[in-house]
């Protein structure tokens, strides 16, 4: 079921505030999907989903490679195509979009702040932490 990003249902937004384990799907260089468990936050006002990660992780490498490939075929900085998803019983929600990796301290701190808000804990310190920021282009789900 498609969700109107301009006016998402309250139940959908509420579902994205509950504490749930999510998945992030990135694409390997050969085009096959790479799916890993992650924590995700969704800032519906900005239209951005965030995933904290280690700069040396495969998911980060896939986003960087996908962003570089997208830049070669389209506007610079267009980002890598990714999806994040969560489910609980019959409720589910997926956000699709274009991802980029940032190591900028302010952007990482915002990701940590939102993670703490959603998951109720501060992630362990990690000097190699980056944030994957996803500009959401499509939302799907059934949260009601």
């Amino acid at each position: 079921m498609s969700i109107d990003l301009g006016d998402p249902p309250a139940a959908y937004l509420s579902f994205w505030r509950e504490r749930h384990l999510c998945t992030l799907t990135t694409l390997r260089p050969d085009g096959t999907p790479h799916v890993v468990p992650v924590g995700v936050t969704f800032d519906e006002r900005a239209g951005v989903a965030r995933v904290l990660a280690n700069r040396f992780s495969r998911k980060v490498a896939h986003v960087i490679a996908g962003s570089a490939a997208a830049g070669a075929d389209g506007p610079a900085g267009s980002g890598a195509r990714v999806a994040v998803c969560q489910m609980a019983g019959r409720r589910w929600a997926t956000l699709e979009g274009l991802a980029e990796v940032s190591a900028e301290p302010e952007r990482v701190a915002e990701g940590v702040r939102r993670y703490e808000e959603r998951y109720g804990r501060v992630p362990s310190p990690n000097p190699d932490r980056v944030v994957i920021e996803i500009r959401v282009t499509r939302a799907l789900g059934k949260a009601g």
Side-chain angles (χ1 to χ4, degrees):
M1 161 187 271
S2 184
I3 303 295
D4 179 0
L5 284 168
D7 187 25
Y12 190 80
L13 296 178
S14 178
F15 188 43
W16 277 108
R17 288 185 203 81
E18 295 172 11
R19 188 179 195 277
H20 294 288
L21 184 61
C22 303
T23 61
L24 168 69
T25 303
T26 58
L27 298 177
R28 296 180 181 99
D30 68 1
T32 59
H34 177 254
V35 184
V36 293
V38 293
V40 176
T41 62
F42 179 40
D43 177 354
E44 70 274 3
R45 288 191 179 115
V48 174
R50 292 177 178 87
V51 175
L52 299 175
N54 185 299
R55 76 176 67 244
F56 302 110
S57 68
R58 293 305 317 150
K59 61 184 158 280
V60 167
H62 294 156
V63 170
I64 291 170
S67 291
D73 296 332
S78 57
R81 293 204 170 277
V82 301
V84 291
C85 184
Q86 66 181 14
M87 63 175 285
R90 293 181 177 214
R91 298 182 305 155
W92 63 277
T94 298
L95 301 171
E96 298 176 5
L98 300 170
E100 293 185 332
V101 175
S102 177
E104 291 178 27
E106 308 80 31
R107 292 167 75 177
V108 173
E110 180 66 8
V112 168
R113 183 188 73 75
R114 289 180 178 278
Y115 181 94
E116 180 181 7
E117 186 177 272
R118 181 174 190 196
Y119 291 98
R121 69 176 192 84
V122 177
S124 302
N126 180 354
D128 295 318
R129 178 172 289 127
V130 295
V131 63
I132 299 171
E133 294 179 329
I134 305 161
R135 291 185 319 279
V136 177
T137 57
R138 180 182 295 160
L140 304 165
K142 182 177 184 238

